[in-house]
Amino acid sequence: MAVSRFLFADQLGPHFDDGGPLLMVEAVGVLGRHPYHRAKAHLILSALRHRVRELGDRVELLHAEHYRDVLAGRDLEAVDPTSWGARALVRELGARVLPSRGFVTSEDEFAAWAQGRPPSRLVMDQFYRHVRTSTGLLMRGPDPEGGRFNFDHDNRRPPPKGASGLGLPDPYRPVEDDIDEQVRADLDRLEAEGRIRLIGQDGPRRFAATRAEALTALADFVETRLGDFGPFEDASLLGDDAMAHSRLSVPLNLGLLHPREVIDAVVAAYHAGEAPLQSVEAVVRQIMGWRDWVWHLYWHLGEDYVRRSNHLDAQTPLPREFLELDGRTVRARCLSHVLDEVGRTGYAHHIQRLMILGNWALQRGYRPAELTEWFTNAFVDGTPWVMPANVVGMSQHADGGIVATKPYASGGAYISKMSDYCGSCTFNPKKRLGEDACPFTAGYWAFLDRVEPRIRGNHRMQQPLAGLRRLVDRDAVVEQERTRTQW
Ligand SMILES: Cc1cc2nc3c(=O)[nH]c(=O)nc-3n(C[C@H](O)[C@H](O)[C@H](O)COP(=O)(O)OP(=O)(O)OC[C@H]3O[C@@H](n4cnc5c(N)ncnc54)[C@H](O)[C@@H]3O)c2cc1C
Ligand code: SF4
């Protein structure tokens, strides 16, 4: 019998298919392992079933509780999968394993670049420059297009004053079909039977689950949002959940789109004079820089990176509002809005993840490993490989400075400047003491007070720590936040 290529549910695009016989497995036990957001479980099943329908008799679809139940004893090959667990599985099954795909740079290329560099010298920006230079993307000979590798400095615009949104057309949304209807019914049944546990609300599918939808979403992004992507990358508005973000992480992480396709499309728009360099460079950096970077770090930092990382000794369990994605009783407008959005859709854009959810968790000392699992389960684009560097490293500083050189903590003033959240909030971003003291502003000082002994040696934290020492009401603020019940 011919060797079959076993495709995982995040290997769905043409770049995982070399033309031979294919095998896919719908394993309910995998869905039942964690309390996933309903929209995420829906996307995975919908994408897998759509791919099976497209491939017709080229693919054998098996149903099982666990992969092993139906794969043991088969003659298999696999493109190296995307989690430690899945890699162990394909090896245990004796599959022929091909190098991983779906990223701009190969694992060998990263290994060669990282060789001899201690963890403290693994800097994303340097890796990004290396990849720009080696691919020649956005380069003019040896020099970066526009004279700089990074246009972030031009990209920190607050949202337009008084606007409720950026005024862009609604982002592309797929139209559901019979497969989605069946997926919804199956999820209802599995949940009723107690075989899976779901969080978040049901609703029409918002993200691409087929190759055709992914290409349409990409074209729509380039046409309607790319130009504003750079300038408003860090801004948030209550009336605009998409802002100028691409919402392409789902099809990228399902393997429906290759990252080079996105990069080539935005670079082509730049060369055609249809998009500014500051936006195009920003997209290229997010994908070829950050996305590849966190992928390689997942392997490079080791299987126990999440478990062993708690540099700031964060020991608070996640509260009910996070676990149930319920912002209704949260008074902090920024936090309640983002929690509700995640509950409704399974998505929030980058700055909401980093500066609202991550910042809050950092200040309140939520356990990094628990938070990583929460993000992975609650977000439609959450995967085992994408979360560790983003959550443990970037947003929680729990690795002590490998991914980010300082904790991403900020008070209400930053949130107030970069969003319209504070205008309708019961708290006041300028106040750190009293009934209406902003829990982010006061929380920022209480956080610095708590972690001061552990970050004292960080030269980038000297200025904030000097501010903390000058705070006349430091003890009162710390006590207020220690006993805070309303947030
Ligand atoms: C706490 C936290 C949790 C995150 N969780 C996820 C996650 O579950 N899945 C996920 O894919 N990304 C995650 N990210 C990274 C980033 O926030 C999302 O990729 C992005 O918000 C997805 O929305 P978008 O497609 O509209 O992105 P855009 O803003 O349009 O960016 C374009 C693309 O760049 C890539 N990208 C940008 N930043 C990153 C990054 N830091 N890491 C990896 N890829 C990046 C994504 O593929 C994204 O689709 C997280 C970041 C933080 C700080
Ligand atoms: S005042 Fe504070 S809690 Fe309220 S929205 Fe602004 S930052 Fe958030």
Side-chain angles (χ1 to χ4, degrees):
M1 206 165 90
V3 178
S4 294
R5 176 167 302 173
F6 170 41
L7 290 178
F8 285 86
D10 60 357
Q11 298 181 329
L12 302 180
H15 49 289
F16 291 99
D17 176 14
D18 296 328
L22 300 166
L23 180 67
M24 292 169 85
V25 180
E26 209 179 283
V28 175
V30 177
L31 275 186
R33 249 185 242 150
H34 302 278
Y36 287 129
H37 197 296
R38 205 188 155 97
K40 180 193 184 93
H42 187 120
L43 271 162
I44 295 169
L45 281 186
S46 177
L48 188 138
R49 291 180 186 181
H50 276 101
R51 186 64 175 140
V52 167
R53 182 181 280 178
E54 270 167 24
L55 288 164
D57 56 13
R58 283 202 47 227
V59 66
E60 184 184 356
L61 175 69
L62 302 173
H63 292 269
E65 192 62 23
H66 300 290
Y67 293 131
R68 274 184 197 81
D69 304 345
V70 287
L71 293 180
R74 285 194 169 239
D75 207 356
L76 296 174
E77 68 172 20
V79 172
D80 218 358
T82 56
S83 71
W84 286 99
R87 286 202 171 176
L89 173 74
V90 292
R91 283 159 179 79
E92 180 197 313
L93 291 168
R96 177 176 154 240
V97 179
L98 306 169
S100 60
R101 301 178 185 179
F103 294 86
V104 177
T105 48
S106 69
E107 292 176 47
D108 285 349
E109 186 176 350
F110 180 82
W113 177 83
Q115 195 174 26
R117 289 171 199 251
S120 59
R121 293 206 39 237
L122 292 171
V123 180
M124 196 295 288
D125 202 52
Q126 286 174 15
F127 172 71
Y128 171 59
R129 283 169 190 240
H130 161 78
V131 186
R132 284 275 298 276
T133 310
S134 65
T135 56
L137 272 160
L138 286 183
M139 299 294 290
R140 281 193 187 258
D143 301 317
E145 186 79 23
R148 275 186 281 155
F149 277 100
N150 183 324
F151 286 80
D152 225 12
H153 210 68
D154 307 340
N155 278 350
R156 296 188 183 133
R157 294 241 299 263
K161 259 207 153 35
S164 59
L166 288 183
L168 303 170
D170 286 343
Y172 162 75
R173 264 175 81 157
V175 178
E176 288 199 1
D177 61 9
D178 59 310
I179 291 183
D180 291 295
E181 203 178 313
Q182 186 61 51
V183 165
R184 182 161 288 114
D186 288 347
L187 289 176
D188 284 344
R189 179 179 48 79
L190 289 168
E191 199 179 21
E193 290 169 1
R195 295 173 69 192
I196 59 171
R197 192 162 85 73
L198 301 171
I199 53 172
Q201 294 152 35
D202 191 12
R205 181 161 62 80
R206 292 175 166 80
F207 298 90
T210 70
R211 171 82 179 152
E213 289 172 356
L215 291 172
T216 308
L218 171 58
D220 179 72
F221 167 64
V222 173
E223 189 186 327
T224 64
R225 305 188 121 66
L226 174 59
D228 289 302
F229 179 88
F232 295 113
E233 214 180 341
D234 290 354
S236 306
L237 286 166
L238 284 168
D240 195 339
D241 287 343
M243 300 295 285
H245 293 278
S246 70
R247 299 159 72 91
L248 290 174
S249 51
V250 169
L252 278 166
N253 294 358
L254 286 171
L256 288 165
L257 273 183
H258 192 283
R260 267 307 289 258
E261 292 179 287
V262 182
I263 290 170
D264 290 345
V266 300
V267 170
Y270 168 66
H271 287 307
E274 288 158 7
L277 183 57
Q278 72 185 94
S279 284
V280 170
E281 187 281 316
V283 175
V284 170
R285 179 158 30 86
Q286 299 312 314
I287 295 179
M288 193 163 90
W290 280 109
R291 185 172 186 274
D292 262 45
W293 176 248
V294 303
W295 159 252
H296 292 305
L297 286 187
Y298 176 66
W299 305 110
H300 188 79
L301 297 174
E303 194 170 0
D304 64 344
Y305 169 72
V306 174
R307 212 176 335 116
R308 70 170 192 262
S309 301
N310 196 352
H311 177 65
L312 300 178
D313 192 27
Q315 297 297 351
T316 312
L318 256 65
R320 185 198 66 80
E321 291 80 353
F322 269 59
L323 294 173
E324 293 177 13
L325 302 176
D326 181 4
R328 283 172 307 175
T329 54
V330 175
R331 288 173 63 205
R333 188 78 171 103
C334 51
L335 193 56
S336 73
H337 175 75
V338 179
L339 281 173
D340 281 343
E341 185 190 342
V342 179
R344 257 186 314 108
T345 67
Y347 174 87
H349 61 70
H350 182 70
I351 212 67
Q352 295 171 319
R353 299 182 199 202
L354 187 61
M355 298 318 286
I356 306 295
L357 298 172
N359 189 14
W360 178 264
L362 174 69
Q363 291 187 3
R364 302 289 146 179
Y366 294 170
R367 295 176 187 144
E370 241 178 70
L371 186 70
T372 304
E373 195 177 326
W374 176 79
F375 266 109
T376 314
N377 298 341
F379 278 74
V380 281
D381 52 5
T383 64
W385 61 265
V386 83
M387 285 308 176
N390 271 309
V391 178
V392 169
M394 194 183 339
S395 93
Q396 301 302 295
H397 201 66
D399 63 9
I402 298 172
V403 175
T405 49
K406 72 177 181 80
Y408 266 98
S410 79
Y414 177 79
I415 295 169
S416 173
K417 179 177 153 210
M418 296 306 291
S419 76
D420 63 352
Y421 294 150
C422 303
S424 51
C425 185
T426 50
F427 299 115
N428 181 342
K430 295 200 173 111
K431 292 190 67 174
R432 62 175 179 264
L433 258 188
E435 280 268 289
D436 59 347
C438 165
F440 276 89
T441 302
Y444 172 76
W445 295 116
F447 163 73
L448 287 184
D449 179 84
R450 180 172 70 77
V451 303
E452 199 264 344
R454 288 167 197 267
I455 59 170
R456 217 177 266 154
N458 183 330
H459 74 276
R460 296 197 65 199
M461 294 309 288
Q462 294 315 306
Q463 221 180 329
L465 289 178
L468 175 71
R469 287 175 204 123
R470 284 195 302 272
L471 220 59
V472 286
D473 44 17
R474 174 172 171 174
D475 290 347
V477 172
V478 170
E479 183 55 15
Q480 169 186 278
E481 293 311 301
R482 197 184 63 76
T483 55
R484 181 183 278 280
T485 52
Q486 294 281 356
W487 48 277

